[in-house]
């Protein structure tokens, strides 16, 4: 890690890309001190909520490196999209989590393997009838302005998320009331879906802001949070943070500063890491060989994340199940995986990776998404569209998705669907998706945050973001309601499998193409940079050895 300067970064990276420059050197030394391992008392946590972990017991979100580390270092990360607001309630994309996590502690922490552990709430429990959820707050926590994080502050935050006009927070819809019987106890009364609350409160819904800032303009651009970092700078090109010295666990925080640089071009980000102008970035599967040959550290792992084509069912053709199935069979998923992603984006028709408990092993590509243009044409004819139809498809102006849009445009053209591509800057694209301005759209979908039911809620339940036509397959809403009451993974698993099967049986509204591994490329000195299965990047534990 190094003291990266924003000015000139993009220009320098582009120049470096054109000249094919190689890796850079570390540019300095600093004070040496130890970062202690983060620990929590999980024995005090009474949670009946299902977690999304693939492995057994939850572990801390990061573990500090042993030995001496550079406590004055800046960790510079490259990402493809920026943030439209630093208010968790107003985010238009789940991919903006990384911009929030330095600023806000959450009531419950999500570990990199998808498990849950204590955060601002040191323990919690759900009543036997599933209608009362109680949080017990840790003592001694405060906001950046020094005011305490007590029950009244938590109550105010939750009520704001529930009632703020335009809030994009999901998962609190069934909370009927929030009470604060004493300064360290918060009680939520729910009408249903109480089993989902621990996972929901590990994401944006659990991030705590100072209530004194709720009615100010600062909440968007200069918020007062409760996390390990305070905001230093917020622009479209870079967001930077400075370690907060009064954080309750400041000795566990690795970097002195974090910088997130917004660089939409995939090659530009990788070149920036190779040249030493960034410490790390995520890369596409097709870039892995280049990163390895450059001597970079490559970290890969599965993630609840897919590339997909979403369909707006207010379009007369897309409202037909046969048409949705035709589109699915027109796409050569295996060919895309092999030819575009170097076999780094396994073909799939469902939203969870193989091996994850929510993945239904019976929903195979061979059975439900085989590439078959003749079958696709017949399905279109059966639906009353023998000559096809016109369709506009949107995509964010990011290399991977514009490339996938071209492939889908060609594939659908082969079966008679004339596609007009619409490419937009990422923030505008996300806003237009939410407002139903696209007939269809290509893009990434995170499928495990804050819990695995969120994907089904937003994509297939009435009122879901992007589900502009309020489409649900027959029986889906009743099945979802049963799943939302499940209080453990064993009960939830077959219900989630059935949700996936029902969606595909009636023609998937979200046509999943493939599920890429998440791959990170980093300077080889960086430690504690991990692949989070649910995409909840948290850089507080990232360190570089001193010297």
């Amino acid at each position: 890690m190094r003291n990266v300067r924003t000015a000139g970064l993009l220009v320098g990276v582009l120049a470096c890309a054109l000249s094919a420059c190689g890796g850079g050197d570390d540019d300095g030394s600093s004070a040496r001190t130890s970062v202690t391992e983060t620990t929590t008392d999980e024995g005090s946590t009474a949670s009946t909520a299902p977690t999304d972990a693939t492995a057994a017991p939850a572990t801390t979100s990061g573990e500090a490196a042993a030995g001496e580390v550079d406590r004055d270092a800046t960790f510079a990360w490259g990402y493809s999209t920026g943030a439209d607001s630093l208010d968790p309630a107003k985010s238009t994309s789940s991919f903006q989590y990384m911009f929030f996590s330095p600023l806000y502690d959450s009531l419950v922490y999500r570990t990199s393997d998808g498990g849950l552990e204590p955060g601002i709430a040191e323990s919690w429990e759900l009543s036997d009838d599933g209608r009362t959820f109680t949080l017990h707050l840790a003592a001694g926590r405060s906001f950046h302005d020094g005011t305490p994080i007590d029950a009244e502050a938590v109550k105010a935050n939750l009520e704001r998320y529930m009632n703020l006009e335009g809030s994009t927070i999901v998962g609190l819809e069934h909370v009927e009331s929030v009470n604060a019987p004493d300064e360290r106890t918060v009680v939520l009364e729910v009408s249903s879906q109480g089993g989902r609350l621990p996972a929901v409160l590990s994401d944006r819904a659990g991030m705590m802001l100072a209530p004194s800032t709720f009615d100010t303009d600062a909440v968007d651009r200069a918020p007062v949070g409760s996390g390990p970092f305070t905001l230093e700078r917020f622009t479209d090109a870079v967001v930077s943070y400075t370690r907060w010295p009064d954080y309750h666990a400041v000795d566990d925080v690795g970097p002195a500063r974090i910088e997130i640089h917004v660089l939409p071009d995939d090659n530009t980000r990788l070149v920036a890491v190779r040249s030493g102008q960034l410490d790390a970035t995520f890369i596409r599967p097709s870039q892995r060989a280049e990163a390895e040959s450059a001597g970079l550290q490559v970290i890969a792992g599965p993630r609840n994340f897919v590339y997909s084509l979403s369909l707006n069912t207010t379009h007369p053709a897309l409202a037909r199940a046969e048409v949705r199935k035709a589109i699915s069979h027109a796409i050569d998923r295996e060919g895309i995986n092999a030819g575009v992603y170097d076999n780094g984006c396994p073909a799939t028709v469902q939203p969870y990776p193989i091996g994850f408990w929510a993945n239904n092993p019976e929903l195979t590509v061979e059975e439900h998404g085989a590439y078959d243009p003749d079958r696709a044409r017949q399905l279109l004819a059966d639906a009353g569209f023998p000559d096809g139809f016109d369709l506009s498809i949107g995509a964010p102006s990011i290399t991977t998705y514009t490339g996938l849009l071209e492939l889908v445009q060609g594939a659908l053209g082969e079966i008679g669907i004339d596609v007009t591509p619409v490419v937009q800057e990422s923030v505008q694209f996300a806003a237009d998706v939410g407002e139903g301005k696209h007939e269809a759209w290509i893009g990434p979908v995170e499928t495990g945050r804050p819990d695995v039911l969120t994907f089904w809620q937003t994509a297939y339940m009435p009122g879901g973001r992007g589900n502009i036509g309020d489409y649900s397959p027959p029986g889906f809403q009743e099945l979802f309601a049963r799943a939302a009451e499940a209080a453990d993974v064993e009960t939830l698993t077959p219900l989630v499998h059935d949700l996936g099967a029902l969606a595909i049986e009636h023609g998937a509204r979200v046509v999943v193409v493939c599920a890429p591994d998440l791959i990170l490329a980093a300077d080889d000195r960086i430690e504690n940079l991990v692949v989070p299965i649910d995409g909840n990047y948290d850089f507080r534990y990232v360190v570089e050895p001193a010297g």
Side-chain angles (χ1 to χ4, degrees), residues 9 48 110 124 129 150 188-189 236 300 347 355 478:
L9 174 63
T48 57
R110 177 67 60 89
W124 57 86
D129 64 3
D150 57 17
L188 285 69
E189 301 293 343
D236 291 340
E478 295 78 8

Side-chain angles (χ1 to χ4, degrees), residues 289-527:
E290 179 186 351
E292 290 175 337
S293 67
L296 297 178
Q297 177 183 184
V298 175
I299 308 162
R303 179 179 175 186
N304 286 316
F305 174 84
V306 293
Y307 296 155
S308 65
L309 170 65
S310 295
L311 308 175
N312 184 338
T313 56
T314 62
H315 187 290
L318 302 182
R320 299 295 302 272
E322 297 93 337
V323 171
R324 297 192 297 272
K325 291 181 180 180
I327 289 173
S328 183
H329 286 294
I331 297 173
D332 183 3
R333 294 171 172 83
E334 299 287 0
I336 290 173
N337 176 36
V340 179
Y341 298 119
D342 293 337
N343 295 311
C345 193
T348 185
V349 294
Q350 58 179 309
Y352 310 110
I354 294 173
F356 186 64
W357 62 265
N359 178 282
N360 185 341
E362 297 182 1
L363 300 180
T364 65
V365 172
E366 294 76 15
E367 180 69 21
H368 298 282
Y371 176 54
D372 191 339
D374 291 337
R375 183 179 178 185
R377 294 186 191 97
Q378 185 59 55
L379 284 165
L380 284 183
D382 293 344
F385 298 93
D387 299 321
F389 56 90
D390 295 337
L391 180 68
S392 67
I393 301 180
S397 56
I398 297 171
T399 315
T400 285
Y401 308 120
T402 56
L404 186 55
L405 173 57
E406 291 179 7
L407 293 173
V408 169
Q409 179 183 10
L412 297 189
E414 289 294 318
I415 65 169
I417 300 176
D418 186 11
V419 171
T420 299
V422 180
V423 177
Q424 298 176 292
E425 183 274 330
S426 298
V427 173
Q428 186 61 54
F429 168 77
D432 283 358
V433 166
E435 295 174 11
K437 294 182 179 180
H438 288 296
E439 294 179 338
W441 59 95
I442 292 284
V445 179
E446 287 195 309
T447 59
R449 271 202 359 240
D451 69 347
V452 297
L453 291 181
T454 300
F455 168 77
W456 302 110
Q457 178 183 1
T458 56
Y460 287 92
M461 291 289 284
R465 179 175 173 80
N467 188 14
I468 306 303
D470 286 340
Y471 167 75
S472 291
F476 190 93
Q477 295 179 47
E478 295 78 8
L479 181 60
F480 181 89
R482 290 172 53 203
E485 294 292 344
D488 57 74
V489 169
E490 290 73 20
T491 304
L492 183 59
T493 298
L495 298 172
V496 173
H497 289 182
D498 289 346
L499 288 172
L502 194 59
I504 288 176
E505 176 188 351
H506 292 276
R509 192 194 73 76
V510 178
V511 181
V512 176
V513 176
C514 61
D517 280 346
L518 180 57
I519 307 174
L520 312 181
D523 183 284
D524 62 5
R525 289 175 56 82
I526 299 298
E527 299 181 12

Side-chain angles (χ1 to χ4, degrees), residues 9-10 13 77-82 236-237 261-266 268-270 272 278 281-282 398:
L9 174 63
L10 182 56
V13 168
W77 168 261
Y79 201 59
S80 57
T81 61
D236 291 340
H261 294 265
V262 181
L263 300 169
D265 183 74
D266 295 337
T268 299
R269 291 195 310 277
L270 180 55
L278 292 177
T281 187
F282 82 96
I398 297 171

Side-chain angles (χ1 to χ4, degrees), residues 85-91 100 104 143 151-170 172-173 175 177-178 188 204-225:
S85 168
L86 293 178
D87 181 354
K90 299 176 184 177
S91 172
F100 302 139
Y104 306 110
F143 294 103
E152 287 295 337
V154 171
K155 177 177 183 291
N157 271 272
L158 293 176
E159 290 179 336
R160 176 177 182 267
Y161 287 144
M162 292 161 55
N163 301 319
L164 181 69
E165 183 178 355
S167 175
T168 59
I169 296 289
V170 298
L172 299 178
E173 296 84 359
V175 177
S177 66
V178 183
L188 285 69
R204 291 187 293 130
M207 291 180 171
M208 297 292 102
L209 296 76
S212 61
T213 66
F214 285 177
D215 298 324
T216 69
D217 294 337
V219 72
D220 283 306
R221 309 294 299 184
V224 177

